[in-house]
């Protein structure tokens, strides 16, 4: 009986191997362009924000709900609610999804569009057709996202204290936007404020009227008591693009703690220009600390030619550098700091004159200390991976047992799987064609169980397996993946997942000693490798009952 259990377990693995060879990716196609993607880690439900529509899909991308969000009568110059008699320029206008975020504790979805000056709505996670809150008559105080389709909005749902749920928002501004760049918004009504109004009168930063700099936001995330924004800023004087990382305390209603500094991703070739524009970013914890992974691009005008790089910024180093900058501004002199520090968005900063230890005494800043604070003295990193001639457009990272794998989207429609070693090198071990010559969009999301990866192109969302150990035909392909998900068996001569190995180990433990097969597992065990490092066809490992070897792809009857 035990031997039969072991055999059935092994045959199940072989069947999976055969199916992997002919696997077609699960996908869903939208009628209009897709803008954003979110996945509920608990339920596995997938949510899509598109032009004029929202979609709710199951984990296998089967449609559950669809809601129309546009087009509607609008004009960027007019204040909602739109009435044709008051807004003569109004016309039927598409609604581009600008923000799509989940609030699992309250079982709701936050969605903001480009219509009506960027107002937002709350919907039920279980059924997106059920709108929990929507108000288009509150005026400027409810304008959250950018109403310019070409200007990105990013956000983060979090809390500022017990019971509070708020939305942190970062956005650039088009010609008809309200000028607000960073804001904290309520997600629940209070006695004096509606949902999506500013948390306090001071919980916004607005670009100064004389500011000519423009921002494109890339990502928002939190770390401990802090909220972070990653964005690109096009400075006009002098003309240059900068990638900035901004940090502020979550529980800071006055924004005294706002601090930004430069991030730079350098090419390993010292003669080539740095990768200048951040296109996507993600945070993961590969070991004892969290790390910001960011992909940057370089245009054809720069030395080194067009290309892209992946850079890593450990958040411990980020915090240390930001604290050093705060201390240098507070306790230094104006003369020594005027070329380094500035006041973001508008105006000049006046550093110096404060007591030693001010940054430690006021970890979230104070009204008497310089704020908001910007520093040109930021962090620099050297790319651990670079590609010439194409852009890396998306990144997400998974880490297990001190091994890290990055999934990277490309401008030509592929997902790259890259093993990141602890010593700072990288090894690309797989490339999956999602949709040929279709740019992979920025939202690249892992399922809650880390078994699936969801990715978007222009009008399709795909579900990819995170690992495909059984499909790797060589040890060199299995080895990089083995750090996180796969192992090479020296006895079965197969590349298998760790959970599958557990099934075999359990089954073989109950088999008779003479019939059981020892499972000698080790990452990259070269004893399993045949000539040229090839692994045998997994289907041929288990011979048929009559002793003859079976053709590849056939299963016993």
């Amino acid at each position: 009986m035990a031997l039969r259990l072991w055999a059935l377990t092994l045959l199940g693995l072989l069947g999976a191997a055969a199916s992997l060879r002919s696997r077609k990716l699960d996908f869903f196609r939208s009628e209009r362009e897709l803008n954003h993607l979110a996945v509920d880690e608990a339920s596995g439900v997938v949510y899509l924000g598109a032009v004029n529509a929202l979609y709710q899909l199951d984990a296998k991308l089967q449609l559950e709900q669809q809601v129309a969000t546009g087009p509607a009568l609008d004009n960027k110059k007019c204040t909602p609610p739109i009435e044709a008699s008051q807004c003569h320029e109004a016309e039927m206008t598409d609604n581009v999804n600008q923000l799509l975020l989940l609030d699992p504790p309250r079982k709701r979805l936050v969605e903001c569009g480009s219509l009506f000056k960027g107002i937002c709505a709350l919907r039920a996670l279980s059924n997106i057709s059920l709108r929990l809150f929507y108000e288009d008559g509150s005026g400027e105080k409810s304008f959250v996202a950018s109403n310019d389709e070409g200007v990105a909005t990013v956000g983060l749902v979090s809390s500022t204290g017990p019971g509070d749920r708020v939305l942190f928002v970062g956005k650039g501004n088009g010609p008809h936007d309200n000028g607000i760049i960073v804001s904290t918004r309520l997600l629940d009504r209070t006695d004096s404020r509606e949902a999506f109004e500013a948390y306090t009168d001071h919980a916004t930063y607005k670009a100064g009227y004389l500011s000519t700099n423009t921002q494109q936001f890339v990502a928002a995330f939190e770390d401990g008591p802090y909220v972070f924004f990653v964005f690109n800023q096009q400075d006009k004087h002098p003309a240059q693009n900068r990638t900035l990382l901004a940090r502020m305390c979550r529980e800071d209603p006055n924004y005294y703690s706002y601090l930004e500094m430069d991030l730079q991703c350098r090419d390993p070739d010292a003669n080539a220009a740095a990768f200048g524009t951040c296109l996507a970013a993600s945070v993961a914890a590969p070991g004892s600390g969290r790390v910001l992974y960011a992909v940057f691009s370089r245009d054809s005008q720069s030395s080194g030619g067009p290309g892209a790089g992946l850079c890593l910024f450990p958040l411990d180093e980020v915090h240390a550098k930001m604290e050093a900058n705060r201390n240098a501004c507070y306790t230094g002199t104006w003369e020594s700091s005027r070329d380094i520090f500035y006041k973001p968005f508008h105006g000049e900063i006046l550093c110096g004159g404060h007591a030693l230890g001010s940054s430690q005494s006021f970890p979230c800043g104070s009204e008497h200390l310089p704020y908001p604070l910007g520093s040109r003295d930021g962090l620099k990193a050297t790319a651990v991976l670079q590609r010439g001639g194409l852009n890396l457009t998306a990144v997400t990272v998974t880490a297990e047992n001190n091994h890290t794998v990055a999934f990277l989207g490309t401008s030509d429609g592929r997902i790259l799987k890259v093993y990141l070693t602890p010593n700072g090198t990288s090894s690309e071990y797989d490339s999956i064609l999602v949709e040929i010559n279709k740019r992979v969009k920025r939202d690249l999301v892992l399922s809650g169980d880390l078994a699936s990866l969801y990715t978007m192109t222009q009008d399709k969302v795909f579900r990819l397996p995170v690992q495909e150990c059984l499909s790797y035909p060589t040890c060199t392909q299995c080895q990089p993946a083995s750090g996180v998900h796969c192992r090479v068996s020296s006895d079965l001569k197969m590349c298998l997942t760790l959970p599958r190995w557990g099934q075999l180990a359990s089954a073989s433990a109950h088999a008779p000693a003479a019939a059981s097969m020892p499972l000698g597992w080790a990452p990259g065990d070269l004893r399993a490798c045949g000539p040229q490092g090839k692994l045998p066809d997994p289907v041929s490992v288990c011979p048929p009952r009559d002793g003859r070897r079976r053709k590849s792809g056939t299963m016993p009857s």
Side-chain angles (χ1 to χ4, degrees):
M1 180 64 185
L3 179 59
R4 179 175 177 82
L5 174 63
W6 189 93
L8 288 174
T9 305
L10 178 58
L11 289 176
L13 294 176
L14 303 181
S19 66
L20 275 173
R21 290 193 187 89
S22 58
R23 175 187 292 275
K24 291 186 178 180
L25 299 178
D26 294 331
F27 76 93
F28 171 82
R29 183 170 187 170
S30 167
E31 296 176 0
R32 297 294 301 272
E33 180 178 355
L34 292 170
N35 306 125
H36 288 291
L37 161 70
V39 179
D40 187 339
E41 292 187 359
S43 67
V45 173
V46 177
Y47 302 90
L48 301 175
V51 176
N52 296 333
L54 297 175
Y55 299 99
Q56 178 178 325
L57 315 176
D58 68 14
K60 295 182 178 180
L61 302 182
Q62 298 300 304
L63 181 64
E64 292 183 343
Q65 295 286 338
Q66 178 177 349
V67 175
T69 59
L73 198 65
D74 192 22
N75 185 281
K76 295 184 190 304
K77 298 178 182 179
C78 298
T79 299
I82 302 298
E83 297 181 11
S85 60
Q86 300 297 319
C87 180
H88 301 294
E89 302 93 341
E91 59 185 3
M92 295 303 290
T93 305
D94 286 338
N95 191 12
V96 174
N97 179 250
Q98 290 284 54
L99 205 57
L100 188 73
L101 299 170
L102 308 186
D103 184 15
R106 301 289 171 86
K107 299 179 181 180
R108 58 192 178 184
L109 176 79
V110 180
E111 57 102 353
C112 309
S114 59
L115 280 179
F116 310 139
K117 297 287 189 177
I119 64 174
C120 303
L122 297 172
R123 295 177 181 271
L125 278 183
S126 59
N127 183 353
I128 60 171
S129 63
L130 178 58
R131 195 156 62 181
L132 304 176
F133 177 86
Y134 177 81
E135 175 58 60
D136 65 355
S138 296
E140 185 173 348
K141 58 188 178 182
S142 64
F143 302 163
V144 177
S146 173
N147 71 341
D148 190 316
E149 298 83 353
V151 176
T153 301
V154 301
L156 171 72
V157 176
S158 188
S159 62
T160 57
D164 283 342
R165 300 299 288 171
V166 296
L167 173 65
F168 291 94
V169 182
K171 70 175 184 68
N173 283 280
H176 302 293
D177 267 316
N178 59 5
I180 293 175
I181 296 174
V182 176
S183 62
T184 307
R185 306 286 180 154
L186 292 167
L187 286 180
D188 296 291
R189 286 187 175 101
T190 66
D191 292 340
S192 59
R193 297 176 189 264
E194 290 280 3
F196 298 113
E197 290 187 32
Y199 178 66
T200 69
D201 291 339
H202 304 286
T204 61
Y205 269 142
K206 201 167 186 176
Y209 291 110
L210 300 179
S211 175
T212 56
N213 300 335
T214 57
Q215 295 80 23
Q216 278 283 8
F217 278 74
V218 176
F221 64 92
E222 57 187 334
D223 185 60
Y226 299 105
V227 171
F228 285 86
F229 293 101
V230 182
F231 61 99
N232 298 297
Q233 178 167 290
Q234 188 66 46
D235 288 355
K236 298 295 171 55
H237 304 292
Q240 62 176 332
N241 182 78
R242 301 163 61 202
T243 295
L244 296 167
L245 180 63
R247 185 192 78 175
M248 60 186 188
C249 293
R250 269 205 324 264
E251 299 182 22
D252 175 17
N254 298 298
Y255 282 21
Y256 296 146
S257 60
Y258 183 94
L259 168 65
E260 67 183 36
M261 69 178 186
D262 286 72
L263 291 182
Q264 188 179 90
C265 183
R266 297 179 296 189
D267 194 304
D269 181 356
N271 296 317
F275 301 104
T277 303
C278 182
L279 298 182
S282 178
V283 173
S288 58
R290 303 180 79 207
V291 176
L292 172 65
Y293 299 84
V295 291
F296 292 74
S297 70
R298 181 177 58 210
D299 61 31
S300 58
Q301 308 296 319
S302 305
S303 61
L310 170 66
C311 274
L312 282 60
F313 301 93
L315 291 187
D316 285 347
E317 295 181 17
V318 168
H319 288 298
K321 186 63 176 178
M322 287 187 161
E323 290 307 305
N325 277 327
R326 291 178 66 226
N327 186 64
C329 175
Y330 296 167
T331 62
T333 63
W334 181 80
E335 290 79 8
S336 64
S337 62
R338 62 180 177 177
D339 292 331
I340 298 173
F341 297 104
Y342 59 92
K343 192 168 188 175
F345 315 130
H346 59 84
E348 295 183 358
I349 199 79
L350 185 62
C351 287
H354 297 280
L356 294 174
S358 293
S359 58
Q360 290 83 13
S361 300
F362 300 93
C364 290
S366 172
E367 187 176 11
H368 76 283
L369 296 171
Y371 77 95
L373 179 61
S375 173
R376 296 181 180 88
D377 181 18
L379 283 182
K380 298 177 181 179
T382 300
V384 298
L385 177 141
Q386 64 274 353
R387 286 289 179 273
L390 88 163
N391 276 336
L392 300 174
T393 58
V395 58
T396 194
V397 176
T398 181
E400 185 176 326
N401 299 324
N402 293 321
H403 295 278
T404 308
V405 169
F407 302 91
L408 304 172
T410 71
S411 55
D412 63 351
R414 295 180 179 274
I415 296 294
L416 308 181
K417 295 183 180 182
V418 179
Y419 178 56
L420 303 176
T421 66
N423 64 6
T425 60
S426 64
S427 174
E428 180 186 326
Y429 66 90
D430 205 357
S431 174
I432 301 172
L433 179 61
V434 175
E435 189 172 12
I436 190 167
N437 292 329
K438 296 289 187 179
R439 181 186 184 91
V440 172
K441 297 211 167 189
R442 183 180 294 160
D443 290 352
L444 192 60
V445 184
L446 289 160
S447 61
D449 60 6
L450 303 182
S452 299
L453 178 71
Y454 295 93
T455 182
M456 291 191 307
T457 56
Q458 178 81 3
D459 60 355
K460 297 185 186 73
V461 58
F462 297 85
R463 183 174 74 125
L464 287 66
V466 166
Q467 54 72 27
E468 295 179 284
C469 303
L470 283 168
S471 69
Y472 296 137
T474 69
C475 287
T476 54
Q477 286 178 296
C478 186
Q479 269 183 253
S482 69
V484 178
H485 302 111
C486 308
R487 292 291 185 271
V488 176
S489 167
S490 61
D491 298 292
L492 292 182
K493 298 181 175 60
M494 297 169 68
C495 183
L496 298 178
T497 68
L498 287 173
R500 294 294 195 184
W501 168 78
Q503 294 175 16
L504 281 174
S506 176
S508 64
H510 295 90
S516 64
M517 296 179 64
L519 301 178
W521 289 89
D525 191 337
L526 298 183
R527 291 177 297 165
C529 299
Q532 289 81 49
K534 290 184 178 180
L535 289 165
D537 186 324
V539 179
S540 68
V541 172
C542 184
R545 296 188 186 114
D546 59 9
R548 293 175 297 174
R549 188 155 300 278
R550 193 175 296 108
K551 289 184 179 180
S552 174
T554 63
M555 297 300 295
S557 57

